[in-house]
Amino acid sequence: MDSINIVWFRRNLRISDNQCLYRALRATKKIVCLFIFDTSILSKLQPGPERRVSFIYDAVERLKREFRAMGSELLVYHGNPAVIWQRIVAEYAIDTVFYDVDYEKYSVQRDAEIELLFDSAGIRTGVVHDHVIFHPETVNKDDGSPYSVFTPYSRKWMQRFVERPPSEFDSETGLAGSLLPMQAMPMPSFESLGFEYCEYATAESAIRLEIFDNYHQLRDRPDVDGTSRLSAALRFGILSPRKLVMLASQRSPAFLNELIWRDFYQMILFHFPHVEQGPFKPAYASIEWINNEFHFERWCRGETGYPLVDAAMHQLNETGWMHNRCRMITASFLCKHLLTDWRWGEAYFASKLTDFETASNNGGWQWAAGSGCDAVPYFRIFNPELQRKKFDPIGNYVKQWNVKTHTTPLVEHEFARRRCLETYKKALYGSQ
Ligand code: FAD
C-alpha cells in the first residue's frame, strides 16, 4: 500500500492560502485531511447553548462539503486526539503529518504527546506557524531577545513586512487530483458533542472593504458599526491573516496596527508561557483582590449600575462579541473598581466570546489589570461615566442593549479609584 500524507486541520479551517495543504501538495503523495473535536477541550465547556462550538461546527461542515466536491473527504472525529491518532496510525501507512503550531499550554502538551507516537511509528511531521504573519522568533530585538513593549515590536514587525511582505500560498491548484479519493463519511452530529446549537450573529467571515475607509475614526465607537467583526474568522483561520494584512497595508494603517497587536500577543504567549497562569510582571501577583462573588455575578449579568459597562456585558452575553473599547472598560472596571482578580474576568470572557483566543484575551486582561507587558499603568483608572460620554455620546449603544440603569452603582467611582490605588501601591511598593 502506498503511504499517504495527512493534513491535520486544527485552527486554519480553510482551503485557500493554507500552508499545510501547500506543503502537502508539494510532497507528491496522496493527501488525507482530518479534523478532531477534542474532548479534552470540549469537556471543560458548560453544556447547553454553545456559540463557539456552533461556529466551529459550521466551519468544519463547510470544509467537509468542499473536500467532498473534490471527490475526497474531511474525516471528522470526536474524542481524545492521542487515542484517535493511535487508531489512524494503525489504519493508514503514513509518511508525514502536517499541522499548524498552537502556542497554548494544552496544545503544546498534546502535540508533544502525539509527536512521540508519530516518532515511534516512523512518521514524519511537517510543522508550520500559520496562525501569525511572522514566527514569534523572527521579530526580535537586535540582541535576539523577545520584545515586551508593543511600539518597538511593531516597528520591527513593519520593517520585516516591508523587506519581506508575506505572500499567499497556492494551496488550491492541483488539490483535487492530490487528495485520496474517498467515500462520504458521516460527521458526528452536533448534539453528540454535548451542546445545543446557538446562533453567532456578530461573527463576520467576509471582508467588508468599506470598513477600512473610516476605521481610524470609528474604531473606538461602540455605537456604530465601525470595526470588521472578523475576530472569530481570524481565530479559527476561516480567513487568511496574510490576505487581510496585505489589504490593510494598502488601505488602513490603523487596521494594520491592530493585526500587529494580534501577532504581538501570540509572540508574548510563545516566549512567556507563564502568562497563562499568572501576571506577566511578577510584582502584580501580590495584589490583594477582594473577589466579592456577589459583585462578580452582577458584573457578569451587566448589573453594575454603570450603563456602559452593563450595556457591554449584555452585548457579550447576548451575541458572543463585545466591542474592543468596551472590552477594555469592562475589564478595567472588574479589576480596578471591583478589585476582582483579572483571571475571573478572563475566564468569563473565554466562556462567552465566539472569538476567544487565549493570547489576545490574556493580553487584553493583563493590559487592563496593569500586570501585563506594555499594560496601562496601574494609576490610570478609566472613569466609566466619562468613557460613556466620550464613546457613546448620543447614548445609542446603551439604548441598543436596553440597559435599565440601576439607581445604586455597585461602587462609587471616586471611592473605588482611591481604594484601587491604595491596594495596588501596597502590592507594588509595600506601603500605602
Ligand atoms: P477590529 O477592530 O476589526 O480588528 C481587526 C482584527 O485585529 C480583530 O479581528 C483581531 O483579530 C485583531 N485585533 C484587534 N484588536 C486587537 C487587540 N487589542 N489585541 C489582539 N488582536 C486585536 N481578541 C480576540 O480575537 N479574542 C479574544 O479573546 C480577545 N479578548 C480580549 C479581551 C480583552 C479584555 C480586550 C481588551 C481585548 C480582547 N481582544 C480579543 C481584542 C479585541 O477586542 C478584539 O479582537 C476585537 O474587538 C474584535 O473585533 P473586530 O474583529 O471587529 O476587531
Side-chain angles (χ1 to χ4, degrees):
M1 186 170 56
D2 285 343
S3 61
I4 54 156
N5 286 336
I6 292 190
V7 172
W8 181 10
F9 280 79
R10 294 119 66 98
R11 277 168 175 262
N12 286 317
L13 302 177
R14 66 174 185 275
I15 287 181
S16 70
D17 189 18
N18 181 314
Q19 207 183 145
C20 283
L21 274 179
Y22 171 84
R23 289 190 48 188
L25 267 171
R26 258 124 213 95
T28 67
K29 291 191 179 293
K30 287 288 179 196
I31 303 168
V32 168
C33 297
L34 64 87
F35 178 88
I36 302 170
F37 281 105
D38 184 341
T39 40
S40 316
I41 297 174
L42 297 182
S43 63
K44 295 197 182 77
L45 307 177
Q46 293 289 327
E50 235 306 326
R51 266 193 207 95
R52 194 160 58 246
V53 180
S54 306
F55 184 87
I56 300 169
Y57 192 86
D58 286 352
V60 170
E61 220 174 22
R62 230 172 7 248
L63 260 186
K64 203 171 183 36
R65 280 198 299 273
E66 288 174 332
F67 282 113
R68 279 183 183 174
M70 290 185 274
S72 187
E73 246 304 10
L74 175 73
L75 303 176
V76 181
Y77 299 90
H78 175 213
N80 178 312
V83 175
I84 286 171
W85 270 110
Q86 277 167 5
R87 269 169 39 206
I88 300 168
V89 164
E91 198 174 329
Y92 295 94
I94 307 168
D95 184 275
T96 308
V97 178
F98 293 93
Y99 57 89
D100 174 32
V101 177
D102 196 317
Y103 310 136
E104 293 173 21
K105 185 173 166 228
Y106 162 72
S107 311
V108 171
Q109 284 168 349
R110 175 197 60 200
D111 292 353
E113 185 187 347
I114 293 170
E115 276 160 18
L116 287 178
L117 170 71
F118 291 158
D119 231 30
S120 64
I123 297 169
R124 292 186 291 182
T125 52
V127 176
V128 303
H129 291 252
D130 220 18
H131 191 60
V132 284
I133 301 298
F134 296 121
H135 184 294
E137 282 174 312
T138 58
V139 184
N140 283 336
K141 293 183 194 166
D142 291 342
D143 67 3
S145 61
Y147 284 103
S148 58
V149 177
F150 177 73
T151 306
Y153 170 84
S154 69
R155 266 194 230 113
K156 185 60 95 46
W157 190 101
M158 275 308 294
Q159 191 186 321
R160 266 215 77 177
F161 182 76
V162 171
E163 285 163 7
R164 260 190 287 161
S167 49
E168 292 187 28
F169 292 89
D170 179 4
S171 46
E172 290 172 283
T173 308
L175 180 61
S178 301
L179 294 169
L180 188 72
M182 288 179 121
Q183 300 292 326
M185 309 268 234
M187 167 127 168
S189 71
F190 189 80
E191 293 66 36
S192 71
L193 303 180
F195 305 98
E196 282 167 43
Y197 187 85
C198 189
E199 293 297 334
Y200 39 87
T202 47
E204 288 276 345
S205 54
I207 302 171
R208 295 178 291 158
L209 288 176
E210 70 279 7
I211 287 294
F212 293 122
D213 299 337
N214 298 313
Y215 183 78
H216 61 294
Q217 284 166 331
L218 299 183
R219 56 178 289 267
D220 265 329
R221 292 282 300 270
D223 56 337
V224 294
D225 182 17
T227 68
S228 69
R229 305 199 178 206
L230 287 169
S231 44
L234 283 166
R235 162 65 179 86
F236 296 106
I238 288 156
L239 177 66
S240 149
R242 279 180 289 274
K243 192 188 178 102
L244 196 58
V245 154
M246 293 314 287
L247 268 173
S249 70
Q250 291 148 14
R251 290 173 174 257
S252 170
F255 195 94
L256 181 62
N257 199 53
E258 295 311 306
L259 294 173
I260 303 176
W261 273 105
R262 179 176 175 273
D263 263 26
F264 177 71
Y265 283 138
Q266 290 288 342
M267 179 279 293
I268 293 292
L269 182 61
F270 178 88
H271 287 292
F272 307 98
H274 73 274
V275 295
E276 262 194 76
Q277 280 75 52
F280 177 82
K281 295 181 196 141
Y284 283 73
S286 31
I287 292 176
E288 287 173 15
W289 304 110
I290 296 175
N291 288 343
N292 177 323
E293 286 182 23
F294 171 71
H295 281 183
F296 178 64
E297 274 165 31
R298 293 272 295 264
W299 175 86
C300 293
R301 289 203 300 267
E303 295 173 1
T304 66
Y306 284 91
L308 189 63
V309 174
D310 294 348
M313 295 307 291
H314 281 259
Q315 182 177 37
L316 174 65
N317 292 334
E318 286 164 40
T319 69
W321 185 83
M322 189 198 281
H323 190 279
N324 180 58
R325 169 65 35 191
C326 299
R327 294 190 203 201
M328 288 155 65
I329 296 166
T330 50
S332 168
F333 187 85
L334 184 73
C335 307
K336 293 190 170 166
H337 281 70
L338 300 183
L339 280 176
T340 301
D341 192 327
W342 56 270
R343 285 167 288 203
W344 290 28
E346 183 194 22
Y348 188 73
F349 269 30
S351 73
K352 293 285 172 187
L353 286 169
T354 308
D355 65 26
F356 163 57
E357 168 87 277
T358 297
S360 301
N361 195 42
N362 181 276
W365 275 94
Q366 297 227 30
W367 180 89
S371 62
C373 50
D374 206 7
V376 66
Y378 80 91
F379 49 82
R380 257 191 47 208
I381 299 169
F382 283 141
N383 178 330
E385 277 303 277
L386 290 184
Q387 293 283 314
R388 178 178 66 77
K389 286 182 187 138
K390 193 165 171 196
F391 297 111
D392 185 29
I394 313 166
N396 282 346
Y397 180 72
V398 167
K399 198 152 67 201
Q400 184 186 355
W401 297 105
N402 196 21
V403 177
K404 293 172 196 70
T405 314
H406 294 262
T407 41
T408 333
L410 280 186
V411 281
E412 192 270 321
H413 170 68
E414 197 44 43
F415 160 80
R417 197 182 73 82
R418 274 201 304 272
R419 182 178 65 177
C420 173
L421 286 176
E422 281 163 18
T423 308
Y424 269 62
K425 263 193 215 154
K426 189 173 163 206
L428 300 176
Y429 306 111
S431 63
Q432 294 198 24

